[in-house]
Amino acid sequence: MKTILSNIENAPIIPVYYHDDINQCIQILESCYAGGIRVFEFVNRGPEAYANFKSLLTYRDTHFKDLKLGIGTIKSKQQAIDFINIGAEFIVSPIIKPEIAEVTLKNNILWIPGCMTPTEIAVAEELGAPLVKLFPGDALGANFLRSIKPLFQSLKFMPTGGVSLDEENLTDWFSAGVTAVGMGSKLFSDPTSYEKEDYIESRLINAFKHIKTLR
């Protein structure tokens, strides 16, 4: 668990991604790794989630052995067990469920629960989550974190949902005290007219450079 947290702190952007096509998933994984990603969240949001995640783990073991792969959108104990059994290295949930916390703690797996209120954050803390996902990030905003962070000084925070690669947005979140940011559609949106084929890699490289200046 501590190793995953250390990796997140060292490369503080976590892609959040799903696609039915495993070849598309592998291409995205390759682009993200080339851009500096070392922690990747595949999400349980489609019919091929289990099979594709299993394939990504196999591909990772051959090509990117230092990459940590976790599964997101886990909403039940059984889902957590199923993905841990095939090798998920961390579990991300959009909600808080004590039964998920129990499973992950028992297996020494990092659990990142989604929270939207101080009460939910307090529950996550009591259940042993060291890192909390602020979700949806764009609805809460960095000022929300500034307000509640002094109440939870032992916790780390990661906004997900609507976080963009824009330098102003990244500056706002990291200056508020986040440990990392989760990125989905804003990272994987179609390239602009001036971006090249390796646009995902370039976006990440530029974002990491900017984040480095903020620390």
Side-chain angles (χ1 to χ4, degrees), residues 5-195:
L5 284 170
S6 177
N7 288 358
I8 291 172
E9 290 173 342
N10 290 333
I13 298 175
I14 299 181
V16 180
Y17 185 77
Y18 174 82
H19 201 284
D20 285 342
D21 183 351
I22 184 57
N23 292 319
Q24 176 72 14
C25 294
I26 289 173
Q27 288 177 7
I28 289 294
L29 195 71
E30 289 176 336
S31 295
C32 287
Y33 188 86
I37 293 299
R38 293 300 178 267
V39 180
F40 189 99
E41 177 190 340
F42 194 67
V43 289
N44 182 33
R45 293 185 187 173
E48 302 302 322
Y50 185 86
N52 285 357
F53 185 70
K54 194 171 183 178
S55 296
L56 285 176
L57 286 166
T58 299
Y59 189 85
R60 185 280 310 271
D61 290 344
T62 302
H63 300 279
F64 310 127
K65 292 185 178 180
D66 60 334
L67 179 69
K68 303 300 181 182
L69 273 176
I71 188 74
T73 318
I74 296 301
K75 298 184 290 184
S76 72
K77 175 180 179 179
Q78 191 58 52
Q79 287 178 342
I81 291 171
D82 290 343
F83 281 96
I84 289 172
N85 283 344
I86 62 171
E89 294 174 285
F90 61 94
I91 299 289
V92 185
S93 302
I95 57 174
I96 294 176
K97 271 196 175 179
E99 64 184 34
I100 299 175
E102 180 184 356
V103 169
T104 53
L105 284 172
K106 181 180 178 181
N107 288 276
N108 196 31
I109 298 288
L110 174 66
W111 174 51
I112 308 173
C115 299
M116 194 177 182
T117 67
T119 298
E120 290 175 342
I121 294 169
V123 172
E125 184 177 43
E126 290 172 1
L127 291 173
L131 174 64
V132 168
K133 177 172 80 167
L134 296 178
F135 178 78
D138 55 352
L140 293 170
N143 283 334
F144 171 78
L145 177 60
R146 289 187 178 93
S147 297
I148 58 93
K149 197 170 188 297
L151 307 176
F152 303 100
Q153 296 185 22
S154 65
L155 285 180
K156 302 177 187 298
F157 293 92
M158 177 184 74
T160 302
V163 180
S164 77
L165 290 161
D166 179 82
E167 288 189 0
E168 183 178 354
N169 189 253
L170 291 174
T171 298
D172 202 21
W173 279 114
F174 279 91
S175 65
V178 300
T179 294
V181 292
M183 286 196 184
S185 59
K186 302 291 185 181
L187 172 59
F188 301 117
S189 60
D190 292 337
T192 61
S193 59
Y194 60 85
E195 288 183 310

